[in-house]
Amino acid sequence: MMRFLSYLVFIYLFVMSPGIIKADTYPEVIFDNSLVSGVYAKSQVQYEGSSWVENLNKHLLVSDTLFFTPGNSLSLRYRSAAEGQWRVDLRYSRQKFNYQVDNSDFLILKIYIDSENTKKKDLPKIAITQKASQTTLLDLSSYIEDFDYNMWLNVKIPISSFKNLYFDEAITAISLFQNQVSDANHHIFIDQVEFLPKNSSNVKLTSPAILSSIKAFDRQVRLQWQLPLTPSIRYIKIYRSEDNKDFKPVAIRPIFMQSCLDYVDDLNKTYYYKIAWVDFNYLESPFSEVREVKTTKMNQEELLDLVQTAHINYFVENYDINSGMYVPFRSKDKAVVSVKESGNSVLSLLVGIEKNVINRQVALNRISRMVYFLMKGQNRYGFFPAYFDGRSGLPEYRSGQQASYDVLATSSMIEALLVARQYFSKDNELELDLRNRITKLWESVQWDKAVAIGTTDVLVERLSAVDTLNKYPSLGGINESINAYMLGMGAPKYKLPVSAYENGVKMAPIDRGAMHGIFQDSTIALPGILPVPAFILQQDSLSAKLSQRVSIFKDTLLYGERLIFGYQKGSLLNVYKPFFTINPQILRDPAIQYEEAIRSYIKVRKRRDNETGVGSTNSDIWGFYQFNDSIGTYRINPAIGPSSIFLMPEEGKRSLLALYENFGDNFFTEYGFRAWLDLRNNDVSDEYFATNQASLAVMIENARSGLIWRLYAEIPEMKKLRAELFPEEGKGN
């Protein structure tokens, strides 16, 4: 009973605070729909001997015409021979959080038996696969309620039936195996594979659904609805018609979403829509009223608006209602919030006010809530942990991470709040109060306590919460370190000396691959970085290793461009991040022409990507990063090419429009572009990266109006610092 009540509370919180999850579906769902047609890239087919499973490139085929929930299902056609075996994995795709089941849960899936020669024992066996283990195999047939053909059957398996399941370990796949030997071929369809609690609300959905508004943007139709606080609602089901008579189901959406985009084929055409609520048994409510809309062609600037506002909408809808902070993933027991990405959320909300995506007062209240939360949250010398529990205000440390306070996360948040302090400049009580509280947070950060041992001007990544002797790598290079050092040097109290610009920014930590490219994100070990030289590893102490630093300058000629900081293999987003807020023009260092230097790196990356090839013949589609796994793939990060708009307007715009026009049907949603696109393997992420969404929301605005750049440039403490750092060049800043 307590489990059921907890679940109802969870449902209520989702309705009151939409968008907590960062995927298009629930974390407990293994499969509901393939985002691309043809094959399901997150499936893996294996067979041997005389057995066989139909596949394309080792993936299951997708059916777009027969499905339980729109718009598709998985086609499993197989032969189970005496001298052979087969196995199919439906891999769990969550990247930021892996769902963990309870012993009282059920594994539920829908199957459709299309071959009448298929008997119960011909159906596969099933198991749950975890990282390094697999449960016992169970017969699907034992858990089918009413066996029949040419209809969707419900399979409901108690989790307690699976032996050798580790409840504290993440699930990686649901695995199907050959069962009874047969000479015949069998064909079934599979849909809606998910974990559900034992008890879910059975309140009947008697009231019609409410489709509150509908609007067309080019081939994207935006639908908004009003969801009641009914705990038995599981999904919103969307129906579309071209004649207002024949309505076909085209999509489902989870209840934490307030709206969605539906991609249609034709322009200058009228479409009709209605929706229904769907309960946990997949029974539908009465339909909403029908609404109609006509699609019209948008010009490039209007498409740019559409893309930008969708990325802003990601942060408008995705937040923790308690703290106002950004929530990176869903947890059963906690509302885990990210400090660093909440900084990106603040910047995006400010742009959202200007673009009329969010009301000024609503954004002010959200940001005020963040500030109140941080003022009460646990900190060390004013530095915050990377994550908090948004309900308790206590630090949340990821698995295996030491208790510590994060310098870069803190600088991201403080910097964004200072920009907000400039924006909310009206002479009224609420905005004045927000400005004062932001200043108090700003003044409380003791930057001089976060320096490496033996220095006064070199920041470290983190401060230990328990061990004052614990050593962390230092910060430096052309990455987010710039923002942290600028804040540290410009702080009203506890500041760093201005020598931190030369000794901190212009010197990179050798322990994190500085000899191989100073753009590397200082908090992430990126793939492709060569090992640290042996002579470094042979130093006598950890402190000696961590204190090793090298100049950022390393002239290199590549692809016809001069790279003054040397070649690097990390993501270009690491190069972009400092300039979310800082206009490179105001860093008037006589030794570094920042605009020219960064522009060269963008050109080199585009030329490299075009030459290597990412599965597209369009040179405007570029910006891949290598995802190292057992196979090795190249995936396009949709923020890299389009975000170059801040320094290369035409190239960035062409990249954005190419991605939208070529892949808008499954790669672009109400939250903007998905996390990645893999053209070589016909796969697309079902999640979003907060840094990607912020990069496009903010950089497009900086390129168009310079809003965030202008606000940052006017921060009094930063103006004073630049005048001190660049006394001749800084005049007039």
Side-chain angles (χ1 to χ4, degrees):
M1 183 63 182
M2 287 300 295
R3 175 76 193 284
F4 176 52
L5 291 175
S6 298
Y7 196 83
L8 292 187
V9 171
F10 224 55
I11 292 294
Y12 176 79
L13 288 176
F14 278 136
V15 176
M16 294 299 293
S17 177
I20 288 180
I21 304 173
K22 302 303 171 289
D24 287 350
T25 186
Y26 299 99
E28 63 266 28
V29 175
I30 300 293
F31 173 84
D32 54 7
N33 285 295
S34 173
L35 296 175
V36 294
S37 59
V39 299
Y40 184 52
K42 295 178 180 64
S43 61
Q44 188 68 37
V45 172
Q46 304 173 55
Y47 63 86
E48 60 184 31
S50 299
S51 293
W52 169 80
V53 176
E54 183 181 37
N55 71 90
L56 183 62
N57 195 26
K58 301 299 182 183
H59 303 310
L60 286 182
L61 276 62
V62 168
S63 168
D64 296 324
T65 56
L66 179 65
F67 45 76
F68 180 76
T69 53
N72 53 54
S73 66
L74 299 175
S75 171
L76 176 58
R77 195 187 300 269
Y78 59 93
R79 181 183 179 88
S80 300
E83 297 181 355
Q85 288 291 333
W86 63 262
R87 170 179 178 162
V88 173
D89 288 332
L90 306 181
R91 294 180 295 185
Y92 196 66
S93 62
R94 301 283 82 75
Q95 298 167 25
K96 298 178 182 176
F97 177 72
N98 289 305
Y99 189 77
Q100 294 174 323
V101 299
D102 288 341
N103 194 47
S104 59
D105 288 347
F106 286 84
L107 172 61
I108 296 175
L109 61 151
K110 311 297 180 182
I111 65 169
Y112 185 102
I113 304 174
D114 194 47
S115 47
E116 294 191 358
N117 62 300
T118 302
K119 308 305 179 186
K120 273 192 172 185
K121 285 296 182 179
D122 293 320
L123 294 176
K125 289 186 176 181
I126 190 169
I128 298 175
T129 299
Q130 296 178 291
K131 291 179 181 178
S133 63
Q134 178 186 292
T135 65
T136 52
L137 275 61
L138 302 177
D139 273 320
L140 272 183
S141 60
S142 301
Y143 301 94
I144 296 176
E145 296 173 354
D146 295 301
F147 186 86
D148 207 342
Y149 300 93
N150 300 317
M151 63 180 294
W152 285 102
L153 306 178
N154 188 54
V155 182
K156 186 175 182 180
I157 308 173
I159 293 300
S160 57
S161 297
F162 291 99
K163 307 306 178 187
N164 302 324
L165 180 65
Y166 299 94
F167 292 100
D168 58 347
E169 188 175 307
I171 291 169
T172 57
I174 297 299
S175 302
L176 301 171
F177 296 85
Q178 175 171 316
N179 194 0
Q180 178 174 275
V181 171
S182 170
D183 292 330
N185 289 338
H186 305 281
H187 190 199
I188 66 174
F189 295 90
I190 301 170
D191 204 353
Q192 207 60 39
V193 184
E194 59 190 333
F195 296 104
L196 286 178
K198 180 179 180 179
N199 297 310
S200 54
S201 176
N202 291 314
V203 176
K204 291 185 178 181
L205 303 177
T206 57
S207 299
I210 302 173
L211 179 57
S212 53
S213 69
I214 184 170
K215 187 175 181 180
F217 301 90
D218 201 69
R219 288 189 174 91
Q220 302 277 2
V221 177
R222 185 171 189 258
L223 298 91
Q224 287 185 288
W225 46 78
Q226 295 179 10
L227 197 70
L229 296 178
T230 305
S232 56
I233 299 177
R234 170 72 168 167
Y235 283 106
I236 297 96
K237 193 170 184 178
I238 299 156
Y239 289 82
R240 185 206 308 147
S241 172
E242 297 181 9
D243 59 6
N244 201 18
K245 296 177 182 178
D246 181 21
F247 282 87
K248 296 180 180 179
V250 293
I252 56 170
R253 289 292 187 271
I255 63 169
F256 50 76
M257 297 181 70
Q258 302 178 48
S259 63
C260 76
L261 289 177
D262 179 45
Y263 188 90
V264 296
D265 294 329
D266 298 317
L267 291 168
N268 301 313
K269 185 172 183 176
T270 299
Y271 290 91
Y272 303 87
Y273 286 88
K274 62 183 180 182
I275 64 172
W277 312 138
V278 180
D279 68 14
F280 283 80
N281 294 313
Y282 293 92
L283 300 176
E284 299 179 21
S285 73
F287 289 119
S288 68
E289 293 183 359
V290 174
R291 290 183 176 269
E292 68 177 77
V293 67
K294 185 175 182 180
T295 57
T296 56
K297 179 69 176 175
M298 300 175 74
N299 61 40
Q300 286 191 356
E301 288 304 309
E302 290 172 327
L303 281 173
L304 207 60
D305 281 335
L306 170 63
V307 172
Q308 185 184 17
T309 54
H311 287 83
I312 296 167
N313 186 52
Y314 174 80
F315 292 103
V316 171
E317 292 197 7
N318 291 300
Y319 69 99
D320 166 46
I321 194 171
N322 304 286
S323 63
M325 304 275 281
Y326 168 81
V327 182
F329 50 77
R330 172 184 174 182
S331 174
K332 284 184 178 181
D333 305 316
K334 300 175 183 178
V336 177
V337 298
S338 166
V339 172
K340 176 184 284 189
E341 299 299 356
S342 292
N344 284 332
S345 177
V346 169
L347 298 177
S348 301
L349 291 175
L350 299 181
V351 177
I353 299 171
E354 294 296 298
K355 304 299 293 186
N356 295 315
V357 180
I358 186 171
N359 176 272
R360 181 186 179 97
Q361 190 60 49
V362 172
L364 172 65
N365 292 342
R366 176 96 58 86
I367 295 170
S368 293
R369 202 180 313 166
M370 295 184 195
V371 175
Y372 275 120
F373 175 79
L374 291 173
M375 293 184 78
K376 297 178 181 179
Q378 190 170 309
N379 67 83
R380 182 173 175 81
Y381 303 128
F383 291 97
F384 307 117
Y387 300 95
F388 276 109
D389 179 343
R391 297 169 190 164
S392 69
L394 296 175
E396 176 70 18
Y397 301 110
R398 309 317 312 136
S399 178
Q401 186 185 57
Q402 293 180 327
S404 62
Y405 297 86
D406 195 295
V407 173
L408 287 178
T410 302
S411 68
S412 172
M413 192 68 199
I414 293 294
E415 182 183 59
L417 290 175
L418 290 176
V419 173
R421 189 183 67 175
Q422 289 300 119
Y423 186 85
F424 293 109
S425 58
K426 291 184 178 180
D427 188 19
N428 61 54
E429 184 178 351
L430 289 176
E431 296 197 11
L432 177 61
D433 179 62
L434 176 62
R435 294 198 298 272
N436 289 337
R437 285 185 284 111
I438 289 173
T439 299
K440 287 181 181 178
L441 272 182
W442 170 221
E443 291 176 341
S444 69
V445 183
Q446 301 182 45
W447 300 92
D448 56 347
K449 298 287 190 181
V451 295
I453 292 176
T455 76
T456 60
D457 53 11
V458 176
L459 289 170
V460 291
E461 288 183 357
R462 298 189 299 278
L463 299 174
S464 174
V466 293
D467 181 7
T468 57
L469 297 178
N470 201 326
K471 311 299 189 303
Y472 290 108
S474 57
L475 298 175
I478 311 302
N479 50 48
E480 288 176 283
S481 299
I482 295 177
N483 309 76
Y485 278 109
M486 294 295 285
L487 289 174
M489 291 182 288
K493 299 180 180 179
Y494 315 113
K495 64 174 58 182
L496 300 176
V498 291
S499 59
Y501 181 71
E502 296 294 329
N503 297 331
V505 172
K506 291 186 178 181
M507 298 291 290
I510 201 169
D511 52 285
R512 284 301 179 95
M515 295 187 71
H516 318 291
I518 51 74
F519 285 154
Q520 184 182 347
D521 188 322
S522 57
T523 64
I524 301 173
L526 295 170
I529 299 298
L530 298 175
V532 176
F535 76 90
I536 295 295
L537 298 178
Q538 293 168 0
Q539 297 292 331
D540 292 334
S541 69
L542 176 62
S543 179
K545 297 174 197 171
L546 296 179
S547 66
Q548 294 288 329
R549 296 171 67 78
V550 66
S551 171
I552 63 174
F553 297 104
K554 187 180 180 183
D555 267 8
T556 303
L557 290 174
L558 200 63
Y559 295 96
E561 292 292 322
R562 179 188 176 219
L563 306 179
I564 66 172
F565 308 122
Y567 179 67
Q568 56 84 31
K569 295 185 179 182
S571 171
L572 264 185
L573 280 182
N574 298 327
V575 184
Y576 296 163
K577 285 177 185 177
F579 308 110
F580 284 14
T581 50
I582 303 174
N583 185 338
Q585 291 182 353
I586 68 174
L587 296 179
R588 299 186 178 180
D589 186 333
I592 304 174
Q593 298 298 319
Y594 279 96
E595 275 192 296
E596 180 182 338
I598 304 309
R599 195 177 286 115
S600 292
Y601 278 92
I602 295 173
K603 291 177 182 177
V604 165
R605 185 54 60 89
K606 182 179 186 299
R607 293 168 188 174
R608 184 206 70 174
D609 289 4
N610 288 161
E611 185 173 307
T612 303
V614 291
S616 171
T617 56
N618 188 332
S619 65
D620 292 324
I621 296 176
W622 60 280
F624 76 76
Y625 68 97
Q626 189 168 10
F627 181 83
N628 282 353
D629 57 18
S630 59
I631 302 172
T633 60
Y634 287 92
R635 293 176 172 178
I636 294 172
N637 182 325
I640 291 176
S643 291
S644 67
I645 194 171
F646 81 105
L647 281 183
M648 302 177 68
E650 290 306 312
E651 288 82 353
K653 185 185 295 186
R654 286 200 303 269
S655 178
L656 183 150
L657 294 174
L659 285 170
Y660 175 82
E661 290 169 358
N662 286 276
F663 307 106
D665 57 339
N666 55 31
F667 192 37
F668 182 80
T669 77
E670 52 280 340
Y671 292 153
F673 288 116
R674 299 180 186 278
W676 48 259
L677 173 70
D678 187 344
L679 295 177
R680 291 183 173 181
N681 291 281
N682 194 36
D683 195 12
V684 62
S685 173
D686 64 351
E687 297 188 324
Y688 308 86
F689 291 155
T691 301
N692 285 7
Q693 312 315 106
S695 184
L696 282 162
V698 172
M699 289 308 212
I700 291 175
E701 192 61 29
N702 280 335
R704 300 173 100 180
S705 73
L707 173 69
I708 301 300
W709 283 348
R710 186 172 65 253
L711 292 168
Y712 178 89
E714 291 302 315
I715 296 171
E717 298 92 333
M718 294 295 101
K719 290 179 69 175
K720 181 180 178 182
L721 170 65
R722 291 196 304 276
E724 189 175 358
L725 275 178
F726 317 123
E728 294 300 321
E729 293 75 8
K731 289 179 179 178
N733 280 347

